[in-house]
């Protein structure tokens, strides 16, 4: 009964937690339904050979034996250049029945797949292990859209999984912050309960009961919100080109609702747990407390947890920088790394509030400035509660987009350094010498890949370029060589980078080429690892069936550039200056990744607005006596408004400063990793996005305070 009575009386104080949990559950439900659609896509009829009962396709997988656990295991990778169905096999298949070819994937050695109108058993007997025999829905594997759709589903899965994880993190963060501030405002109430005979356990159960009621109600509302929003989310993914056109919300799946509902209830209870323990420690004497200065804002347990999180975040960053710096440049790492430091900064915020407020408020003029500075510094809990959501938003915006932009800038700078060409010709099946342009050095190359077994347990694919003329290629390129000489490359050797397990010049490595052929090649040069785009180099003899798709041209001294460009137009490819080609192919943050980050930031910004509005409404409403004292001391209504709004904005600035500090540490880790890997170093800070987040938080703070004061 006491819990129900408290809910009826304190519903306004809990509305922020209700909205936060409901929104989080709604997002998780929508994301879960989207994930369910990627895990169990609908069956679709084959398109390319839909009328043929059997499809015979060339081998497209490289399978090797590695060591896994106590015994051997077989692992596979998709070949860069799948095998064709050769003429001999085609003749044998025609003897079984009609063979359909469409010309879509035909190469010089034969088509990539054919349809056969014959018995499956007979086809399998003829084909053996020379090709793949596909029947039923498996025939879709040769459709042009099959690989594209599979990649799109992986991108959607990554996007929704990341957004769901960050939503859970921010939801717990905001809910815990709100309940902690609620307890701070209700210290006298809990003190009266203790004076009336309530035990610490009863006070804890009161607060946890409120959290359970909020969690159940909000989770139910969130599931309904998610069911309504999932089709809208799917439509946006399809319209944005992220998901395939046939992507849709599954009709008979319930697990996303269960996961979201019980996660919402757990989030509400987890957010209130620490606050409930603190409430249980409030003594009866708190009922007599009138002082406004916060005391005991950083108990030993919080200090230990915050310090441990800070040490863990910094230690993990330093450990990766020393042992595996390339990991710091991966999206999975720089997406999750900030969360430890954000949580640490929020836990230690009460310790940092006073010095930051003194620093920020040092320039505030007059009596109003003095009041703003001192009130913000003494009311540590209120200032920290307002700063926390701003901290999350600024840190996520700066860390995620900043890290992605910094890595992309490094990749772009590397691409510029790698070439000394004046013109670049691109296209399929180009002439290796570019038509022998007079007065220019011409080097053709083909996109391929090589595969190597590392540590005896993993088959690793490495992007590679197959060059047709080694001396010409050395003249038009500027590779970041750390050992050996690229000009020594021949048909029995390879150029690798420092990321390879074996990267000593003169050592022989066993690799598989793009078409799956095993060869042993001697390492003649080693490149810096860089940002990850410095791949391997082989000669055309080891191209694995690749055709020249890029020709780089360097114009000789005194030769007319316009004449060279005109001569290159006859090659049949797209002719561009090196600057134009670099601009068109400059590495950057992919559309899917940027969309995912913006979704995450949008969620964080909405949560920040909810938390800011709820916290400031509660705090301002509880300051009636204090504000009346200001009026009695001679302050006008306008001066009171300036003081309260100024305090809110100072708290927002405190959150910005702490978020900027977290961003600086994370970006320092990325920059340090680039330096260790010998990659170009620069920092890309998303000022526009961060500025927009700060502006929104500031506007929400002013509107919330203005609304609370307007009701007084």
């Amino acid at each position: 009964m006491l819990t129900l009575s408290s809910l009826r009386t304190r519903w306004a104080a809990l509305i922020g937690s209700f909205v936060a949990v409901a929104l989080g559950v709604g997002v998780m439900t929508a994301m879960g339904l989207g994930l369910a659609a990627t895990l169990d896509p609908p069956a679709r009829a084959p398109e390319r050979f839909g009328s043929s009962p059997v499809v015979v396709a060339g081998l497209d997988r490289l399978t090797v034996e590695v060591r896994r656990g106590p015994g051997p295991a077989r692992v596979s990778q998709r070949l860069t250049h799948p095998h064709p169905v050769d003429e001999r096999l085609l003749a044998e298949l025609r003897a079984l029945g009609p063979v359909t070819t469409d010309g879509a994937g035909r190469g010089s050695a034969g088509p990539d797949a054919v349809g056969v109108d014959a018995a499956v058993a007979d086809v399998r007997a003829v084909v053996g292990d020379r090709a793949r025999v596909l029947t039923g829905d498996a025939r879709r594997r040769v459709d042009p859209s099959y690989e594209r759709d599979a990649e799109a589903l992986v991108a959607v899965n990554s996007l929704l999984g990341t957004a769901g994880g960050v939503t859970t993190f921010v939801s717990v963060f905001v809910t815990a912050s709100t309940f902690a501030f609620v307890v701070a405002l209700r210290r006298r109430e809990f003190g009266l309960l203790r004076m009336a005979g309530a035990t610490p356990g009863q006070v804890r159960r009161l607060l946890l009961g409120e959290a359970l009621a909020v969690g159940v109600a909000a989770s139910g509302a969130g599931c309904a919100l998610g069911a309504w929003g999932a089709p809208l989310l799917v439509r946006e993914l399809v319209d944005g080109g992220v998901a395939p056109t046939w992507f849709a919300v599954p009709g008979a799946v319930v697990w996303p609702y269960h996961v979201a509902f019980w996660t919402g209830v757990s989030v509400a209870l987890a957010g209130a747990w620490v606050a409930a323990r603190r409430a249980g420690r409030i003594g009866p004497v708190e009922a007599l407390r009138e002082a406004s200065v916060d005391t005991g804002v950083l108990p030993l347990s919080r200090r230990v947890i915050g310090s441990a999180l800070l040490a863990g975040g910094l230690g993990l960053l330093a450990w990766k920088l020393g042992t595996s710096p390339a990991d710091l440049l991966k999206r999975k790492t720089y997406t999750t790394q900030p969360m430890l430091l954000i949580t640490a900064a929020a836990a230690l915020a009460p310790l940092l509030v006073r010095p930051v407020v003194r620093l920020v408020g040092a320039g505030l003029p007059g009596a109003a400035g003095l009041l703003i500075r001192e009130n913000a510094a003494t009311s540590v809990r209120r200032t920290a509660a307002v700063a926390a959501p701003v901290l999350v938003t600024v840190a996520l915006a700066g860390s995620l987009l900043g890290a992605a932009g910094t890595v992309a800038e490094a990749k772009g700078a590397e691409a510029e350094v790698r070439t000394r060409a004046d013109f670049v010709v691109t296209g399929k099946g180009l002439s290796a010498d570019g038509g022998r342009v007079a007065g220019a050095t011409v080097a053709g190359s083909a996109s391929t890949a090589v595969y190597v077994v590392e540590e005896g347990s993993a088959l690793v694919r490495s992007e590679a370029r197959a060059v047709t003329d080694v001396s010409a290629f050395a003249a038009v390129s500027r590779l970041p060589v750390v050992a050996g000489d690229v000009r020594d490359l021949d048909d029995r050797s390879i150029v690798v980078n420092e990321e390879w397990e074996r990267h000593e010049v003169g050592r022989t490595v066993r690799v598989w080429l793009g078409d799956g052929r095993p060869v042993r090649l001697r390492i003649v040069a080693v490149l810096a690892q860089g940002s990850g785009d410095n791949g391997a180099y082989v000669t055309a003899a080891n191209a694995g069936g690749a055709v020249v798709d890029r020709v780089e041209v360097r114009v000789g001294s005194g030769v007319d550039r316009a004449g060279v460009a005109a001569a290159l137009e006859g090659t049949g490819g797209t002719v561009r200056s090196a600057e134009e080609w670099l601009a068109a192919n400059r590495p950057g943050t992919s559309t899917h990744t940027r969309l995912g980050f913006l979704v995450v930031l949008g969620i964080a910004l909405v949560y920040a607005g909810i938390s800011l509005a709820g916290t400031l409404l509660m705090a301002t409403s509880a300051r009636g006596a204090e504000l009346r004292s200001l009026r009695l001391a001679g302050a006008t209504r306008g001066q009171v408004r300036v003081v309260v709004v100024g305090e809110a904005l100072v708290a927002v600035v405190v959150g910005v400063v702490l978020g900027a500090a977290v961003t600086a540490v994370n970006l320092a880790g990325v920059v340090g990793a680039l330096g260790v890997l010998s990659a170009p170093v620069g920092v890309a800070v998303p000022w526009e996005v961060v500025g927009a987040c700060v502006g929104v938080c500031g506007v929400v703070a002013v509107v919330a305070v203005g609304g609370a004061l307007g009701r007084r």
Side-chain angles (χ1 to χ4, degrees), residues 49 469 503 600-601:
F49 295 109
D469 185 332
H503 56 266
V600 167
L601 292 179

Side-chain angles (χ1 to χ4, degrees), residues 114-125:
V114 296
V116 183
D117 192 0
V120 177
D122 294 341
V123 174
R124 292 189 190 279

Side-chain angles (χ1 to χ4, degrees), residues 42-317:
R44 300 176 61 229
E47 300 171 1
R48 189 174 169 192
F49 295 109
S51 60
S52 300
V54 183
V55 172
V56 176
L59 297 174
D60 68 342
R61 307 288 296 182
L62 168 64
T63 302
V64 301
E65 190 174 276
V66 297
R67 185 181 65 255
R68 291 281 176 86
R74 297 180 69 79
V75 296
S76 63
Q77 288 264 19
R78 180 174 172 79
L79 289 173
T80 308
H81 310 295
H83 296 183
V85 180
D86 59 46
E87 294 298 332
R88 179 179 176 184
L89 181 55
L90 273 176
E92 295 178 26
L93 292 173
R94 288 192 178 102
L96 297 178
V99 173
T100 303
T101 60
D102 60 359
R106 188 173 185 87
S108 58
D112 65 328
V114 296
V116 183
D117 192 0
V120 177
D122 294 341
V123 174
R124 292 189 190 279
V126 168
V127 171
D129 60 358
R130 292 181 293 173
R132 294 174 293 150
V133 178
L134 308 175
T135 60
D137 292 339
R139 292 174 295 167
R140 282 205 64 247
R141 294 180 184 175
V142 299
D143 287 348
S145 62
Y146 181 78
E147 289 295 331
R148 184 173 64 250
D149 289 352
E151 291 175 1
L153 290 180
V154 171
V156 172
N157 193 291
S158 175
L159 168 70
L160 299 183
T162 301
V166 174
T167 297
T168 303
F169 167 75
V170 178
S171 182
V172 172
F173 190 95
V174 169
T175 306
S177 176
T178 302
F179 270 105
F181 190 59
V182 166
V183 169
L185 292 179
R186 297 170 64 182
R187 292 179 70 85
R188 292 192 67 191
E189 174 190 339
F190 293 141
L192 286 171
L193 285 174
R194 295 280 284 117
M195 186 176 290
T199 65
Q202 289 173 322
V203 173
R204 285 195 296 268
R205 286 193 291 274
L206 169 65
L207 202 59
L208 289 175
E210 293 176 357
L212 179 62
V214 169
V216 170
S219 296
C223 286
L225 178 64
W228 172 80
L232 301 178
L233 171 67
V234 167
R235 191 178 308 125
E236 288 298 320
L237 292 174
V238 172
D239 292 344
V242 179
T245 54
W246 47 264
F247 190 67
V249 177
V253 60
V254 296
W255 66 262
Y257 295 100
H258 282 287
V259 170
F261 181 88
W262 295 112
T263 300
V265 174
S266 301
V267 163
L269 290 174
W273 176 254
V274 175
R277 288 178 59 84
R278 187 181 303 123
R281 290 195 293 268
I282 294 175
V285 73
E286 293 292 335
L288 305 176
R289 189 172 181 267
E290 289 289 347
S292 297
V293 179
D294 286 336
T295 59
V297 294
L298 196 66
L300 179 61
S301 59
R302 182 168 179 170
R303 193 186 299 263
V304 170
I305 292 172
S307 300
L309 288 171
L310 181 62
L314 295 176
L316 183 62
L317 194 65

Side-chain angles (χ1 to χ4, degrees), residues 632-684:
L632 291 173
T636 66
R637 189 178 299 274
Q639 289 173 324
V640 171
R641 185 178 295 271
V642 167
V643 169
V644 178
V645 171
E647 289 177 34
L649 291 178
V650 165
V652 169
V653 173
V654 170
V656 172
V657 171
L658 295 179
V662 172
T663 298
V665 172
N666 282 294
L667 293 186
V670 173
V671 169
L674 290 171
V676 171
L677 296 171
S678 303
V681 174
V683 180

Side-chain angles (χ1 to χ4, degrees), residues 406-650:
T406 298
V407 173
E409 287 293 324
K411 290 179 182 290
E414 277 184 330
E416 291 179 9
V417 171
R418 279 197 299 263
T419 184
R420 289 190 287 189
D422 296 305
F423 295 98
V424 179
V425 185
T426 54
K428 289 293 184 183
L430 298 174
S431 172
D433 58 6
R436 296 186 181 278
V437 180
T441 303
V442 180
S445 63
S447 176
T448 185
V450 293
Y451 305 83
V452 62
V453 173
E454 296 199 345
E455 298 179 351
S457 60
L459 179 62
V460 179
R461 181 181 187 274
S462 178
E463 297 293 335
R465 300 292 303 178
V467 300
T468 57
D469 185 332
V470 175
S471 60
F473 178 75
V476 301
S477 64
R478 192 189 295 110
L479 299 181
V481 179
V482 296
D485 193 332
V486 174
R487 291 171 295 184
D488 294 334
L489 182 65
D490 57 27
D491 294 347
R492 296 181 299 278
S493 60
I494 186 173
V495 175
V496 303
N497 62 51
E498 292 176 310
E499 190 174 8
W500 284 48
E501 181 185 13
R502 303 174 185 86
H503 56 266
E504 298 85 13
V505 173
R507 186 164 185 172
T508 299
V509 291
R510 187 189 186 196
V511 300
W512 288 261
L513 303 179
D515 59 1
R517 285 183 294 137
V519 294
R520 288 189 174 274
L521 301 175
R522 179 173 52 86
I523 298 174
V524 295
V526 180
L527 308 180
Q529 183 173 343
S531 63
D533 280 357
N534 293 327
Y537 290 86
V538 294
T539 61
N542 295 317
V547 295
V548 174
D549 58 6
R550 189 167 82 204
V551 175
E552 295 171 74
V553 182
R554 188 178 184 191
V555 180
S557 177
V559 178
D560 181 30
R561 289 173 59 93
V564 172
L568 291 172
E569 293 293 343
T571 60
T574 302
V575 181
R576 285 175 288 195
S577 68
E579 293 76 15
E580 292 172 337
W581 176 76
L582 286 168
N585 295 275
R586 188 176 184 84
T589 306
S590 69
T591 303
H592 296 169
T593 299
R594 187 169 182 83
L595 177 62
F597 286 161
L598 291 178
V599 168
V600 167
L601 292 179
I603 293 169
L605 193 56
V606 171
Y607 271 115
I610 293 170
S611 181
L612 274 174
T615 300
L616 288 171
L617 285 171
M618 287 188 294
T620 307
S621 300
R623 298 177 66 183
E626 175 190 345
L627 300 182
R628 284 192 296 272
S629 298
L630 277 177
R631 294 281 286 129
L632 291 173
T636 66
R637 189 178 299 274
Q639 289 173 324
V640 171
R641 185 178 295 271
V642 167
V643 169
V644 178
V645 171
E647 289 177 34
L649 291 178
V650 165

